[in-house]
Amino acid sequence: MTSAQTPLAILQDTYGFDAFRGEQAAVIDAAMAGRDALVLMPTGAGKSVCYQIPMLARTGVGIVISPLIALMQDQVHALREQGVAADFLNSSLPAEEQRAVVDRLRSGRTQLLYIAPERLLQPRTLDELATLTIALIAIDEAHCVSQWGHDFRQDYLGLHVLTEHFPGVPRMALTATADARTREEIVTRLELNDPARFVASFDRPNIRYRVSPKLDPKRQLEHFLKGHEQEAGIVYCMSRKKVEDTARWLSESGHVALPYHAGLPADVRSEHQQRFLREDAVIMVATIAFGMGIDKPDVRFVVHLDLPKSMEAYYQETGRAGRDGMAAETLLLFGLQDVVRLRQMVDESESGEERKREERRKLDALLGWCEITTCRRRALLAYFGEQPQADCGNCDICLHPPETFDATVAAQKLLSCVFRTGQRFGAAHVIDVLRGSATDKIRQHHHEELSTFGIGDELDAKGWRSVLRQLLVQGYLEADASRFGALVLTPRAKPLLRGDEQLVLRRDAVAPKSAKASSSGKRSAGSVEHTISAAEQPLWEALRNCRRELADEAGVPPYVIFHDSTLLEMLQHRPESQAEMLALNGVGQTKLERFGDAFLEVLKGAQHEGAAP
Ligand code: ADP
Ligand code: ZN
């Protein structure tokens, strides 16, 4: 389109959105004024618009630096569907096509160029670009410059040369994950020039957070998935083996579930990723190797069957849900084993002492968050430095406040049992002694003679594991990594044992009996479909089919045609003309011309059916 349009006109015509959201307008103003900028926005807030629109509104080509080669193609396709002349350059592109891209650049036809950092930094690319007028340089995933972060990319460190090579061209660094230290690192390492800073709230109000003790993970997962039939989601597991097992089990139970981990051949991984992007309801069962930069907007749920490493990792991984702003749901399962194993991993890691202390602190923050009995979102945001004023009403705790109980006596029993058995045994044995079980190990060590033998019949083994887990998390006990997880008292245990301290713990809810029998087996509010009535279901399916056919024809994922939110608007407003269609969110000029009639046709068909007696 022409570069004479204002940013707002571009938003409306090219993107089909009515108004800017949050800080978008302010960010765009800064770029239009030629200023460098640092933009921190949570996933799904709409970062792309922040740099794409000034690129279209200013004279010259916009350069987008992204480390995510696998995604460039989809991003470029999506832009082309909107009528933007976009291209990408990376090592995956055959030489001949690279030449065509360069030709288009030279001719001045290209509006947006996506490029991998290593490619950009090649001297001949820098020379080539130096001959062009450049509207804006966007550096996406800018936290990759941080050597402390887990997404560090060596190539990103080289990007400071852009200052010299492109004097006067504004640069915008964007990321969804950056604490205060990383922010400063981005500004320094990229040599941004007095950047305007935009830090949006990290809240993702459409994401419902759920955390549960791991009681019967398969059943808990099955129960959760009942609320998400026909939806796309990610299930994270710690190990490759568990990924394989879980994917197999889900497939056998009738889901479309695919495994993804670093041990699979590259072509299998890429095929699974493509299916996840292109089909409507694939469950990706994955290690954390999956997900960086997946910008599929309609991921409706993210499940962690094992604990992530830190709050940061958790937030980033769950952040892949609900990028389109529609309801999404997460579930995190954590158990005693996770607590012990993750603590051991930190203790045994090769990192230096300072790093270990940091890792321990991060893990403890996450564990503490799992056990809290107050609004999860408030605590989550507080961890990232925000202070929300009210409870959210959209987390497990707000929805179902947990039961708590005075656990002082139970904790005393458990701690003294650890002490009496010599602080040499792990959880299973200590609980056997408490419950007075007749195991060989107990006989072998004469533990049936201890004063704590059999004093714990008020709780079953699960109940004791729950108390034990909470004592570990709160620091009354430690599991000694060098002695196979033997439980050891810490100095904190003393006042509790002496009776100087009261302890209140949460009572873990029981696992759902079976997925069918459960009372909340109905669709949860985490689902998009819950907003669709049974009567609307056939039309919804027809709209989705229409989208799928158009997507297959164009060789792009369905959401590139229209997002779920746009289909939902069609369902609600039932447009009957091109003009009415254009009024919907997500329908711009180009998409109207290309796809409008196909959807109007589907809607018209439904109207006739609806009118029949
Ligand atoms: P991010 O890169 O920050 O994760 P995206 O740029 O992918 O987010 O945008 C997230 C979603 O929000 C996309 O579906 C996008 O089309 C939509 N979006 C962005 N800006 C607006 C806006 N002003 N009005 C309506 N929807 C928007
Ligand atoms: Zn809440």
Side-chain angles (χ1 to χ4, degrees):
M1 313 249 150
T2 72
S3 53
Q5 274 189 306
T6 63
L8 183 61
I10 295 175
L11 182 78
Q12 292 168 344
D13 291 354
T14 307
Y15 293 80
F17 300 142
D18 297 334
F20 287 115
R21 262 192 337 210
E23 301 252 51
Q24 282 175 335
V27 176
I28 292 170
D29 282 348
M32 292 304 289
R35 235 186 122 174
D36 284 0
L38 173 68
V39 179
L40 272 85
M41 282 185 185
T43 309
K47 280 184 289 298
S48 328
V49 161
C50 293
Y51 58 82
Q52 288 171 358
I53 289 191
M55 288 175 176
L56 299 176
R58 286 171 65 93
T59 315
V61 58
I63 310 280
V64 186
I65 302 164
S66 163
L68 310 165
I69 291 185
L71 289 174
M72 285 185 185
Q73 192 165 359
D74 281 343
Q75 282 163 337
V76 163
H77 277 151
L79 282 162
R80 288 184 185 161
E81 296 297 344
Q82 286 172 205
V84 174
D87 262 322
F88 68 93
L89 268 182
N90 65 40
S91 50
S92 76
L93 208 59
E96 200 172 314
E97 286 180 39
Q98 302 210 16
R99 272 193 297 278
V101 171
V102 172
D103 283 345
R104 282 196 290 273
L105 264 178
R106 285 184 186 153
S107 76
R109 271 176 292 167
T110 316
Q111 292 173 293
L112 248 81
L113 178 72
Y114 279 77
I115 190 163
E118 60 277 10
R119 177 63 203 257
L120 174 73
L121 292 174
Q122 286 172 8
R124 69 188 162 102
T125 316
L126 288 171
D127 290 345
E128 184 71 47
L129 292 177
T131 66
L132 306 172
T133 307
I134 300 198
L136 170 71
I137 300 175
I139 302 155
D140 205 4
E141 313 288 349
H143 61 280
C144 291
V145 295
S146 168
Q147 276 150 317
W148 289 92
H150 41 293
D151 295 332
F152 174 61
R153 303 279 175 131
Q154 189 67 40
D155 293 311
Y156 263 62
L157 289 184
L159 292 176
H160 65 90
V161 305
L162 299 178
T163 331
E164 293 159 42
H165 277 85
F166 304 102
V169 175
R171 283 168 301 150
M172 185 187 292
L174 305 105
T175 174
T177 45
D179 52 20
R181 176 161 71 177
T182 314
R183 264 174 235 176
E184 288 323 303
E185 259 188 291
I186 293 174
V187 173
T188 332
R189 292 191 191 274
L190 294 178
E191 294 181 15
L192 296 183
N193 177 20
D194 181 28
R197 290 162 188 256
F198 302 93
V199 181
S201 164
F202 268 57
D203 190 14
R204 304 282 311 279
N206 60 315
I207 297 184
R208 169 170 298 178
Y209 296 103
R210 283 188 191 279
V211 180
S212 263
K214 202 184 280 185
L215 302 166
D216 183 342
K218 273 191 181 165
R219 207 183 277 168
Q220 286 172 293
L221 177 59
E222 197 183 16
H223 178 75
F224 178 86
L225 292 177
K226 285 279 167 197
H228 295 280
E229 273 156 35
Q230 295 307 311
E231 294 182 349
I234 307 174
V235 175
Y236 282 113
C237 306
M238 181 89 130
S239 70
R240 295 174 185 185
K241 179 170 183 314
K242 191 157 167 189
V243 163
E244 301 272 357
D245 292 348
T246 309
R248 192 173 319 114
W249 172 73
L250 283 174
S251 304
E252 284 163 9
S253 344
H255 298 275
V256 183
L258 301 171
Y260 190 104
H261 58 71
L264 290 170
D267 56 329
V268 174
R269 270 190 324 224
S270 125
E271 188 208 314
H272 289 184
Q273 172 162 331
Q274 284 305 316
R275 285 192 57 192
F276 179 68
L277 293 176
R278 271 154 219 249
E279 293 175 25
D280 276 334
V282 172
I283 301 175
M284 194 63 118
V285 186
T287 59
I288 51 169
F290 178 73
M292 163 78 169
I294 291 296
D295 62 359
K296 184 175 167 63
D298 54 354
V299 176
R300 296 265 70 86
F301 61 88
V302 171
V303 176
H304 285 87
L305 290 182
D306 300 299
L307 269 178
K309 277 202 319 223
S310 61
M311 296 284 271
E312 286 85 353
Y314 172 77
Y315 187 78
Q316 191 177 41
E317 285 149 23
T318 53
R320 291 169 186 145
R323 293 181 67 131
D324 54 10
M326 300 183 66
E329 192 171 30
T330 71
L331 174 67
L332 164 61
L333 298 182
F334 72 106
L336 181 56
Q337 275 309 319
D338 290 297
V339 177
V340 172
R341 192 187 46 211
L342 282 170
R343 288 237 170 106
Q344 278 181 1
M345 276 172 61
V346 172
D347 287 343
E348 289 165 358
S349 80
E350 307 278 290
S351 326
E353 263 319 304
E354 191 198 347
R355 182 90 189 218
K356 269 193 193 174
R357 239 189 325 259
E358 176 78 0
E359 286 173 8
R360 230 173 264 140
R361 190 185 62 74
K362 291 197 160 178
L363 177 58
D364 285 347
L366 175 70
L367 294 173
W369 182 75
C370 289
E371 300 281 11
I372 58 165
T373 50
T374 54
C375 174
R376 293 225 186 262
R377 188 180 313 269
R378 286 183 87 162
L380 185 64
L381 291 173
Y383 181 82
F384 292 110
E386 290 180 43
Q387 304 298 336
Q389 293 308 305
D391 287 355
C392 77
N394 192 25
C395 70
D396 58 335
I397 301 207
C398 285
L399 293 165
H400 307 284
E403 220 182 291
T404 55
F405 69 108
D406 183 341
T408 314
V409 174
Q412 285 169 340
K413 287 181 179 175
L414 201 150
L415 293 174
S416 34
C417 194
V418 169
F419 184 73
R420 298 272 168 221
T421 49
Q423 310 193 60
R424 290 163 47 217
F425 297 92
H429 183 69
V430 170
I431 291 172
D432 281 343
V433 175
L434 272 173
R435 301 202 9 94
S437 313
T439 68
D440 289 346
K441 198 164 172 184
I442 285 182
R443 273 191 293 275
Q444 185 192 337
H445 293 280
H446 302 293
H447 283 163
E448 72 276 15
E449 292 160 21
L450 295 176
S451 59
T452 53
F453 182 75
I455 58 168
D457 54 9
E458 70 265 46
L459 292 173
D460 61 8
K462 272 194 174 148
W464 282 114
R465 290 177 74 82
S466 163
V467 170
L468 181 49
R469 187 193 73 230
Q470 296 182 67
L471 289 174
L472 273 168
V473 167
Q474 296 196 23
Y476 293 97
L477 282 170
E478 276 169 9
D480 184 347
S482 62
R483 291 190 294 137
F484 309 106
L487 297 170
V488 182
L489 303 188
T490 70
R492 278 207 69 180
K494 255 208 192 120
L496 189 58
L497 274 169
R498 273 204 310 258
D500 294 347
E501 198 185 308
Q502 294 280 91
L503 183 72
V504 173
L505 295 180
R506 63 183 287 169
R507 200 186 296 284
D508 292 348
V510 286
K513 286 250 164 32
S514 88
K516 259 181 272 144
S518 106
S519 59
S520 50
K522 61 182 185 298
R523 290 195 182 285
S524 70
S527 141
V528 168
E529 313 236 334
H530 86 288
T531 49
I532 298 165
S533 70
E536 289 170 326
Q537 198 65 38
L539 178 54
W540 174 247
E541 283 308 318
L543 291 169
R544 296 225 298 185
N545 283 337
C546 174
R547 175 175 68 175
R548 195 172 313 123
E549 279 165 23
L550 291 169
D552 287 346
E553 251 167 58
V556 297
Y559 58 79
V560 166
I561 307 293
F562 283 124
H563 281 186
D564 281 355
S565 49
T566 305
L567 291 197
L568 209 52
E569 291 214 354
M570 290 186 195
L571 193 66
Q572 281 155 359
H573 300 292
R574 309 278 169 113
E576 289 177 16
S577 64
Q578 293 224 342
E580 285 175 17
M581 189 67 116
L582 190 59
L584 302 183
N585 244 320
V587 185
Q589 273 301 341
T590 307
K591 285 195 179 177
L592 177 72
E593 282 156 29
R594 301 203 42 187
F595 313 123
D597 286 341
F599 286 95
L600 283 170
E601 203 57 35
V602 173
L603 290 159
K604 206 156 119 201
Q607 199 184 27
H608 287 166
E609 276 160 41

